[in-house]
Amino acid sequence: QIFREMGSQADFVLWAQISPDSTLQGKLPDEDERLLRGLGVEIRMLEHHDGRESFAQIVFEKFRILSMTEYKRVMFLDADIMPRVNMDYLFRLSDPDDNSDPILRPNLILATQGEPCNTAMFMATPSKWAWQTFKDTVKRQHEV
């Protein structure tokens, strides 16, 4: 609601996955779902993978934003990231269709010496090709 008050035009999508050990049976509590939908948040539930949960699997799921081809650009924020300003400008700074030269590249991924990608916040351009390439790369890495 704060983002709407600040003038944000962004859609908000929550990807959620319920632990297989949970009593919630694969869905959010009704009250949580009602509240989120009332705020205009689209809820998408993730499926479980062979009963295995790992940090790596959680990180891989974050890149699911690459499959959101109904959007030109998607920003992922961890649930504990609390922006204090409207972040729509980041989309405009990377949009070549905005009749200006983009300042940011289409994919904004922060990295450090200790990690190739900080997955708490990143922005990407979704495409079927990018999503399939990502899945193929992860599959190859697990085969090694």
Side-chain angles (χ1 to χ4, degrees):
Q1 185 173 355
I2 292 171
F3 292 115
R4 295 287 179 241
E5 291 170 4
M6 290 189 283
S8 177
Q9 299 296 309
D11 290 342
F12 296 91
V13 179
L14 169 71
W15 290 91
Q17 184 176 47
I18 306 297
S19 171
D21 300 330
S22 173
T23 59
L24 294 175
Q25 300 178 344
K27 67 185 260 350
L28 296 176
D30 292 339
E31 181 63 17
D32 293 355
E33 192 168 321
R34 184 191 66 74
L35 174 68
L36 289 165
R37 291 195 193 284
L39 292 171
V41 175
E42 179 185 342
I43 301 168
R44 298 184 187 183
M45 298 302 295
L46 295 170
E47 296 179 14
H48 295 286
H49 298 280
D50 302 330
R52 295 183 310 239
E53 287 185 318
S54 69
F55 179 75
Q57 187 63 46
I58 292 168
V59 170
F60 294 150
E61 290 296 348
K62 295 177 181 188
F63 284 92
R64 188 171 291 274
I65 70 170
L66 293 171
S67 71
M68 299 174 72
T69 57
E70 66 271 32
Y71 298 102
K72 286 172 56 176
R73 198 96 62 252
V74 178
M75 181 183 296
F76 177 89
L77 299 173
D78 266 347
D80 60 348
I81 299 290
M82 300 299 289
R84 298 178 56 159
V85 298
N86 182 343
M87 297 177 67
D88 289 6
Y89 73 97
L90 290 172
F91 293 94
R92 287 189 297 278
L93 290 176
S94 64
D95 187 359
D97 296 337
D98 193 29
N99 295 324
S100 62
D101 290 330
I103 295 172
L104 298 176
R105 292 182 179 179
N107 298 312
L108 174 65
I109 300 174
L110 307 174
T112 67
Q113 288 182 352
E115 58 188 0
C117 174
N118 180 328
T119 61
M121 181 275 186
F122 61 98
M123 189 166 62
T125 302
S127 73
K128 290 178 182 178
W129 175 85
W131 177 233
Q132 190 60 52
T133 300
F134 175 78
K135 291 190 304 182
D136 291 346
T137 301
V138 169
K139 183 178 178 183
R140 270 195 317 276
Q141 290 299 313
H142 282 162
E143 291 173 351
V144 174

